[in-house]
Amino acid sequence: MGNDNSRITKEIKVFAVMMVLLIMVIPTGSAQESSVTSLDVSVQKYEPFPAEIGQYVDVWVKVENFRSGQSDDVTIKLVPEYPLSLDSEKNAENNIGILSPDSASVQEFRLYVDENTKPGTASFDVYYRGTDNSPWIKDTFKIKVGSTTFDSKGTLELTETTSTPDMFSPGDKGTISFKLTNTASENTINFEGEDYDTNARIQSASLTGADSIKVTSGVQEAGIVGPGNSVTLTFNVEVPEEVQEGTYYLDLAIIGNSYSYNNIWRVPVTIDSSSLKMIPSKSMILTNSEGKIQFDVANLHQNTISSVSVRPIAEGIKFSPAEYFIGSMKPDELFTIEFNAVAEEEREQSSLTLEAEYRNGFNDHTTSANVGNLEVVEEKTDTSTGSTTIAFVLLIVAAAGIFIYRKRKQD
C-alpha cells in the first residue's frame, strides 16, 4: 500500500512539473503582442493611377490602431517586388512612434516602375510592428500598372465646348461637355522609317477648378479615338450661390498616347447673375377702381431662359389673369404683358410688385421688382350734358305734338 501511495505521489509531482513547463512555453498575451495585433494597415491611394511604366508612383499607406491598448513604438517597412523598387533603400522603413487607441498615421512611399515591365499588376509587402521587440507582421498589396506609351501617332484637339445651361447663374448645377477630335486623316503614318497607326488614345481625362466652380465628376477613361473621329466627355459642375459674376477657368487635363501627347486646356466659364427686367409700359392708374396695366419684360441673361411667368402683387387689388405665362425668352427678347386690375377696397394707391419665375437649364430661379404705386382715382359723371340732352328731346316732342294738333284742326 505504501508503495502505491509513493507511486501516486511521484505521478502528481511529475504532472505538476509538466504543467509548469507548459505554462512557461505558452505565450501569455504580453503587451508587446497586444501592441502588434492591435494594428492594421491599408493602402489609402497611389498616384498616378495606374502607375506609369518607367516613372515613379507615390503610395500612401495607412497604419491604424483599432484596439484599446496603446502601441508605444510603431514601425512600418515597405518591401517592393519587381518591377517595383524604392527610390532609396533608406526610405524603406518609417518609425511612427506612439499610436494611441483609435488613431491612425498615413505614411508616404515612392516607388519606381521598371521601364521594361508590361502593363498589369505589381506587388509590394508592408511589414509593421508595435514595438522593437515585437515580431514583424506582413501584408501584401497590389497596384495597377499601365502604359503611357503606344505605337500610335494620332493627335487630339479640343474642337467644341458646350454646357447646360449655356450660361451659368450663381447657385446653378449643370454639365460641361468637351468634344475631342483626332485630327489624323489617314489610318497610318510613316515616321523615321517606321509605320504607326494614327489612333489617338485617351487614358484619362479630368476637369479641375477653383472654389468658384466645383467639379463633381471624377476621372474618365475614353479609350481609342480613330482618325477623323471624335469623342465627347461630360462633367458635372456646381456653381455656389456666393460666386460673383465674371469669367473663371477650369483645367481639362488629358493623358494621351505618351507624355508628348498629353494636354491641358484652360477652359473659360462665364457666370452671369443678370435675369429679368420688368418695367411699366403705360401709366398705372385705375379709374373708378378699375383699369388695365401694362408692362415690358426683358431677358437680360446671356442665354435663353424658359418657363417664364409673371405675377403682379398689390394689397387690395385683384388682377386678371392672376399670372401671365410667357414661356421661353431669348437673350434681349422683350414681351409686353397686360393685366386687368380691380380695387376691392377703398384706397388711393397701392404698392405694386412683379414677381417672376423662370428656369435656366434645369435650375429654378425667382426674381421680383417693385415697379411703383397703382393710383386709384374717382371721376364724377357730368350731369349737365345729360340735362341738356333731355331738355332738347322734350322740346322736339313738344314741337311734334303742336304740329300734329294744328294739322288735325285744319282738317
Side-chain angles (χ1 to χ4, degrees), residues 42 44 59-63 94 96 104-109:
S42 59
Q44 287 288 90
V59 180
W60 285 265
V61 179
K62 179 181 179 182
V63 186
N94 288 348
I96 298 171
S105 175
V106 177
Q107 302 295 310
E108 182 180 354
F109 297 89

Side-chain angles (χ1 to χ4, degrees), residues 23 82 96-97 134 145 150 178 201 232 244 255 279 375:
I23 291 173
Y82 181 84
I96 298 171
S134 302
V145 175
F150 297 91
F178 305 96
R201 286 174 169 83
T232 299
Q244 300 296 316
I255 295 179
I279 54 177
E375 304 290 337

Side-chain angles (χ1 to χ4, degrees), residues 157-162 177-181 231-233 252:
E157 285 189 5
L158 178 60
T159 54
E160 186 179 353
T161 302
T162 58
S177 298
F178 305 96
K179 183 178 180 181
L180 299 171
T181 301
V231 64
T232 299
L233 305 176
L252 175 63

Side-chain angles (χ1 to χ4, degrees), residues 246-292:
T247 300
Y248 300 86
Y249 288 88
L250 302 178
D251 291 331
L252 175 63
I254 301 294
I255 295 179
N257 294 352
S258 64
Y259 287 108
S260 59
Y261 289 86
N262 294 347
N263 290 286
I264 296 180
W265 287 282
R266 295 276 286 170
V267 183
V269 178
T270 301
I271 309 299
D272 181 10
S273 61
S274 58
S275 57
L276 294 172
K277 187 170 185 178
M278 299 172 287
I279 54 177
S281 56
K282 62 183 297 186
S283 60
M284 297 192 299
I285 299 176
L286 303 184
T287 303
N288 297 330
S289 300
E290 63 180 29
K292 294 182 182 294

Side-chain angles (χ1 to χ4, degrees), residues 34 78 153 182 238 306:
S34 174
L78 191 144
K153 299 296 181 182
N182 183 352
E238 296 180 4
S306 61

Side-chain angles (χ1 to χ4, degrees), residues 163-346:
S163 67
T164 303
D166 295 334
M167 190 74 63
F168 289 91
S169 296
D172 278 353
K173 295 181 180 180
T175 60
I176 301 179
S177 298
F178 305 96
K179 183 178 180 181
L180 299 171
T181 301
N182 183 352
T183 59
S185 58
E186 302 292 337
N187 291 327
T188 60
I189 186 174
N190 187 277
F191 182 73
E192 295 182 351
E194 293 188 25
D195 289 332
Y196 297 89
D197 68 60
T198 53
N199 292 324
R201 286 174 169 83
I202 300 177
Q203 297 192 82
S204 68
S206 61
L207 185 66
T208 56
D211 293 337
S212 52
I213 301 178
K214 298 180 180 178
V215 181
T216 57
S217 297
V219 177
Q220 299 188 27
E221 297 180 9
I224 298 175
V225 183
N229 294 332
S230 300
V231 64
T232 299
L233 305 176
T234 300
F235 297 86
N236 297 324
V237 297
E238 296 180 4
V239 180
E241 286 280 1
E242 63 275 10
V243 170
Q244 300 296 316
E245 70 175 9
T247 300
Y248 300 86
Y249 288 88
L250 302 178
D251 291 331
L252 175 63
I254 301 294
I255 295 179
N257 294 352
S258 64
Y259 287 108
S260 59
Y261 289 86
N262 294 347
N263 290 286
I264 296 180
W265 287 282
R266 295 276 286 170
V267 183
V269 178
T270 301
I271 309 299
D272 181 10
S273 61
S274 58
S275 57
L276 294 172
K277 187 170 185 178
M278 299 172 287
I279 54 177
S281 56
K282 62 183 297 186
S283 60
M284 297 192 299
I285 299 176
L286 303 184
T287 303
N288 297 330
S289 300
E290 63 180 29
K292 294 182 182 294
I293 54 175
Q294 198 174 81
F295 306 95
D296 288 335
V297 180
N299 176 21
L300 302 184
H301 201 63
Q302 298 182 49
N303 63 267
T304 299
I305 57 178
S306 61
S307 302
V308 180
S309 64
V310 180
R311 181 172 62 254
I313 301 172
E315 187 175 355
I317 308 295
K318 182 179 180 180
F319 298 96
S320 177
E323 185 172 3
Y324 196 107
F325 184 79
I326 296 174
S328 295
M329 294 185 69
K330 297 177 181 179
D332 293 329
E333 189 171 11
L334 183 143
F335 271 84
T336 300
I337 60 178
E338 187 177 83
F339 297 89
N340 293 317
V342 177
E344 295 185 310
E345 54 188 61
E346 252 185 67

